Amino acid sequence: MLIMNLEKDYQDALQFVKQIDFSKSKDTSKGFETNIRYLGGLLAANDLRPDPILVKKAVEVAEKTLVPLFVDTTSMGTRVKAPYTYMDLTGNHPQPTNSINLAEFGSYSMEFTRLSQVTGDPKYEKLANDLTNAAIKNPTRIPGLYPTSWTVEPFAPVNSSIITIGGGADSFYEYLIKNYILQNNANGDLLSTWQNSVESIEKYMLSPTAENPLIQFIAMISNSTIYYSSQELICFWPGNILLGISQVQDEAKKKQYRAFADTFFTSCMETWQKTNTGIAPESWSWNPRDATGLTKVLNTLFENKLKTKIPKQTNQKRADERTFKIENAIYDLRPETIESIFYYYRSTGDKKYQDLAWQIYMAIDKYAKTGSGYTIVNNVDQVPATLQDFQESFFFAETLKYLYLIFAEKECISLNDYIFNTEAHPFKLSNSIQFQ
């Protein structure tokens, strides 16, 4: 609302926020969602227009629903606090579990860092960043890449769980470089781990397709199997890599990362441009050009125990025109490819990225719009489209916001001065960077 100068709507929302008691809920509160949406949103609104009410409510959210999730544990003999997943606000206690995932515990660092910066209380930043620092010190088979499942006691990776840069892991990696920037480059381990992750994705997970080797998708790896399957959720990565390049000094690395980001971006766009609606599916698989390639390079790290799972081929419509096979055909109003277009446009100023964004918007507007909002498309390859009856809040927070900012003046939330959390809430940087 503030970004779009919707003053009356903002004032109405602010009055509503004043009345909310964040210590009460008839349902359990999920820490990850509460953090990125509620805490992130309050902090971003305060950064756009400072208001003591917003800071007060941000502290309330943190103290009542998030900080209590963190419990004492150990990581390789060192004391640390790790978060449970759900908070029972009726009983005022977290729900115990011994299994947490990488994306969820790894996505407190930006919000807690910004809360400490705004309040002057270092405890929030320390709580979240001690956990991230403990995580990246754990040994891992693939440099910079970690299993998605972790135990709480001790705080340690479950090495048999899947290694992916998509759902269950995505924002952990996203926050490595973003919190490095938000903390004014204070923790070099975040940058080096992020660089390791980018280089490992390219070396160990990038797979050219059989139909067109210029289209290359990112595989997933379990303890015993390589899966040639991917998802829209990973398509924020090209933009994240562009952001990270701004923090890298080595010119050769910059060129390497940019070439990788471009390949990644082109391949994500392929999944939008090659369906009957012009909308990407939730997930897809592909035929690798060389099924033994990744197996060989990864078996040097996995004691020659990996197998390859090749997707079954079907005679689906337009299969001869595509480099991928649709696995989950829904469109859940996701923003990730649009997010990368935003970073590309702000970095280059090239209007071709506005054209790509407009094509995507027109497809979404044509097939996902209803009389009272937008909703999930059941099958992006089916025309006319059939729809569900559910509109995600991130459609406003992320999808439409990124689309709006692609066409707004470049100084509107400049990426030199703001950094976005994973829900697209912009945090003000204390020191500007040079990105756009």
Side-chain angles (χ1 to χ4, degrees):
M1 295 175 191
L2 288 172
I3 292 170
M4 299 179 71
N5 295 314
L6 300 173
E7 184 63 32
K8 182 182 184 304
D9 297 290
Y10 173 72
Q11 291 299 332
D12 289 345
L14 183 62
Q15 293 304 313
F16 179 75
V17 167
K18 287 181 182 179
Q19 307 305 317
I20 299 175
D21 184 349
F22 286 105
S23 68
K24 295 179 181 178
S25 175
K26 61 183 178 63
D27 300 314
T28 55
S29 168
K30 190 172 185 179
F32 172 72
E33 305 293 355
T34 303
N35 178 62
I36 65 174
R37 301 184 189 210
Y38 289 80
L39 181 56
L42 291 165
L43 290 169
N46 183 71
D47 276 348
L48 293 171
R49 183 184 294 174
D51 190 313
I53 290 295
L54 295 170
V55 177
K56 178 182 177 182
K57 288 298 181 180
V59 171
E60 182 181 311
V61 168
E63 291 292 343
K64 299 296 185 181
T65 71
L66 301 175
V67 172
L69 291 171
F70 285 76
V71 296
D72 291 322
T73 184
T74 58
S75 176
M76 297 190 298
T78 300
R79 293 177 62 83
V80 70
K81 288 180 179 287
Y84 289 142
T85 303
Y86 291 97
M87 182 71 185
D88 180 350
L89 290 170
T90 302
N92 197 31
H93 58 77
Q95 291 186 340
T97 180
N98 199 41
S99 179
I100 55 179
N101 81 50
L102 185 63
E104 294 186 357
F105 75 70
S107 300
Y108 287 94
S109 57
M110 284 188 71
E111 291 78 8
F112 277 35
T113 291
R114 190 63 190 136
L115 184 59
S116 283
Q117 291 173 344
V118 169
T119 63
D121 188 338
K123 73 176 184 180
Y124 306 108
E125 183 175 16
K126 177 175 171 51
L127 184 63
N129 287 285
D130 281 355
L131 184 66
T132 298
N133 291 334
I136 63 180
K137 287 177 182 176
N138 272 266
T140 179
R141 283 180 165 134
I142 307 176
L145 297 177
Y146 300 87
T148 55
S149 295
W150 291 58
T151 55
V152 174
E153 180 55 65
F155 177 63
V158 179
N159 288 321
S160 59
S161 63
I162 201 117
I163 297 173
T164 177
I165 59 169
D170 44 7
S171 49
F172 170 83
Y173 300 108
E174 176 188 358
Y175 275 27
L176 291 174
I177 191 63
K178 288 185 172 181
N179 210 43
Y180 172 75
I181 295 170
L182 186 61
Q183 291 181 312
N184 300 315
N185 307 353
N187 185 353
D189 288 343
L190 297 179
L191 176 61
S192 60
T193 304
W194 178 83
Q195 288 190 254
N196 285 340
S197 69
V198 171
E199 292 171 19
S200 287
I201 295 165
E202 182 177 19
K203 181 176 180 179
Y204 297 110
M205 303 175 83
L206 188 64
S207 168
T209 62
E211 294 81 4
N212 180 357
L214 296 179
I215 300 300
Q216 303 180 28
F217 297 123
I218 309 297
M220 299 187 294
I221 305 159
S222 78
N223 193 41
S224 61
T225 307
I226 301 169
Y227 294 92
Y228 292 94
S229 178
S230 199
Q231 47 191 198
E232 165 66 12
L233 280 168
I234 75 169
C235 287
F236 77 92
W237 265 99
N240 187 260
I241 294 170
L242 290 191
L243 178 64
I245 289 171
S246 72
Q247 303 302 302
V248 175
Q249 303 302 315
D250 187 313
E251 290 299 324
K253 294 285 188 186
K254 286 185 175 184
K255 291 179 181 178
Q256 175 190 347
Y257 297 169
R258 179 54 189 264
F260 175 40
D262 289 349
T263 296
F264 204 150
F265 178 72
T266 299
S267 303
C268 284
M269 285 303 308
E270 173 92 347
T271 66
W272 287 81
Q273 295 170 335
K274 295 293 181 67
T275 67
N276 286 322
T277 60
I279 298 175
E282 180 76 358
S283 64
W284 60 89
S285 58
W286 66 95
N287 274 330
R289 185 184 186 193
D290 178 8
T292 64
L294 285 188
T295 307
K296 287 178 180 177
V297 71
L298 280 164
N299 267 330
T300 64
L301 306 176
F302 284 80
E303 297 84 38
N304 295 314
K305 294 179 180 178
L306 285 179
K307 301 176 294 184
T308 298
K309 187 178 177 70
I310 304 294
K312 292 181 180 179
Q313 293 305 295
T314 62
N315 294 320
Q316 61 176 334
K317 188 177 181 181
R318 294 186 59 165
D320 57 330
E321 303 175 33
R322 282 204 286 242
T323 57
F324 61 93
K325 173 191 172 187
I326 295 173
E327 295 289 347
N328 184 346
I330 72 164
Y331 174 59
D332 199 13
L333 304 176
R334 293 204 184 278
E336 283 77 14
T337 298
I338 300 166
E339 180 179 347
S340 283
I341 294 174
F342 169 63
Y343 281 90
Y344 267 87
Y345 175 66
R346 286 295 184 88
S347 175
T348 67
D350 192 328
K351 292 187 180 298
K352 75 178 183 181
Y353 296 108
Q354 289 182 316
D355 293 339
L356 290 175
W358 186 250
Q359 291 169 16
I360 287 176
Y361 166 71
M362 292 300 289
I364 294 171
D365 193 63
K366 181 176 182 178
Y367 293 108
K369 190 175 184 177
T370 73
S372 53
Y374 292 77
T375 190
I376 298 169
V377 177
N378 281 316
N379 188 334
V380 298
D381 220 28
Q382 178 181 302
V383 176
T386 61
L387 304 176
Q388 298 184 24
D389 186 18
F390 187 76
Q391 180 175 259
E392 292 278 5
S393 66
F394 61 67
F395 180 68
F396 294 98
E398 300 183 74
T399 309
L400 292 181
K401 186 186 294 173
Y402 283 127
L403 283 166
Y404 177 82
L405 290 173
I406 289 167
F407 296 97
E409 294 294 326
K410 290 180 70 175
E411 293 310 307
C412 179
I413 316 297
S414 169
L415 289 174
N416 293 341
D417 301 316
Y418 288 89
I419 193 118
F420 286 82
N421 85 335
T422 196
E423 195 73 3
H425 297 306
F427 296 164
K428 189 78 168 65
L429 296 174
S430 54
N431 290 313
S432 296
I433 64 171
Q434 189 56 50
F435 181 81
Q436 60 177 59

